Amino acid sequence: FSIFFNGETISKDSIINTYDSFLQDTSINGLTKDNKLEGKREYGIDEYVGTYTANYKNKTKEETIFGGTTLNRENGNTITIKIKVEKQSGNIEIISNSGTESEVLIKDTGEIEKTVDVKEKSYYLKVKVTDFTGNIEIVAE
């Protein structure tokens, strides 16, 4: 399959790769900027993985820590997330948004490990806190 455009033949793979690059470039805009984060984020090999640690003191906010949109992630389509929350007060939700699905991974003190599939969809990991005091650690690999 190919398209003839402006005197040139463009292959299906070229169109798909260009579209995928566009998705990846624009999806980073959905992440909270480093200077707006409550904690410290360090990306790994891309914006889907890394570490995030934060110490919240009576905060209310929503932060998008990791994620993006791609048809086929270069570094594999599965991510393992390890989360540890030490809540002192308030409310916290750590949410995995994958495509049109949304799942609360943790809402209280505790730990969780989960593997998510990010192939051919948007994926974002969010932290939502309301009057929250406590610590969180997230490792996504």
Side-chain angles (χ1 to χ4, degrees):
F1 176 82
S2 60
I3 295 175
F4 191 72
F5 181 74
N6 273 354
E8 292 188 38
T9 302
I10 304 171
S11 71
K12 175 182 85 169
D13 288 342
S14 178
I15 293 169
I16 290 172
N17 290 338
T18 300
Y19 178 65
D20 194 30
S21 292
F22 170 77
L23 288 175
Q24 291 175 40
D25 291 346
T26 58
S27 69
I28 196 167
N29 294 329
L31 300 173
T32 302
K33 304 292 181 224
D34 286 341
N35 64 346
K36 301 287 185 186
L37 290 172
E38 193 64 27
K40 180 172 173 55
R41 169 179 55 204
E42 292 186 17
Y43 289 121
I45 53 179
D46 60 19
E47 290 82 10
Y48 286 80
V49 295
T51 59
Y52 180 72
T53 56
N55 182 357
Y56 296 87
K57 297 204 185 298
N58 198 35
K59 289 290 178 177
T60 299
K61 67 189 313 183
E62 186 172 321
E63 303 173 311
T64 304
I65 308 300
F66 298 116
T69 302
T70 187
L71 297 176
N72 191 24
R73 183 171 169 259
E74 285 182 24
N75 300 302
N77 291 315
T78 58
I79 297 171
T80 300
I81 305 164
K82 299 172 188 168
I83 303 168
K84 180 179 179 182
V85 175
E86 295 172 346
K87 177 179 130 175
Q88 295 171 3
S89 63
N91 297 308
I92 183 170
E93 289 184 333
I94 299 182
I95 305 160
S96 173
N97 290 325
S98 186
T100 59
E101 307 277 321
S102 184
E103 177 184 5
V104 175
L105 300 177
I106 198 162
K107 307 181 69 150
D108 207 351
T109 293
E111 296 182 39
I112 187 171
E113 183 172 325
K114 173 132 180 130
T115 300
V116 295
D117 178 20
V118 299
K119 185 175 183 175
E120 299 177 351
K121 58 184 134 188
S122 293
Y123 166 76
Y124 292 98
L125 185 68
K126 295 183 177 191
V127 175
K128 184 177 180 181
V129 293
T130 308
D131 301 321
F132 180 76
T133 299
N135 302 311
I136 66 170
E137 296 175 17
I138 300 172
V139 176
E141 25 187 37

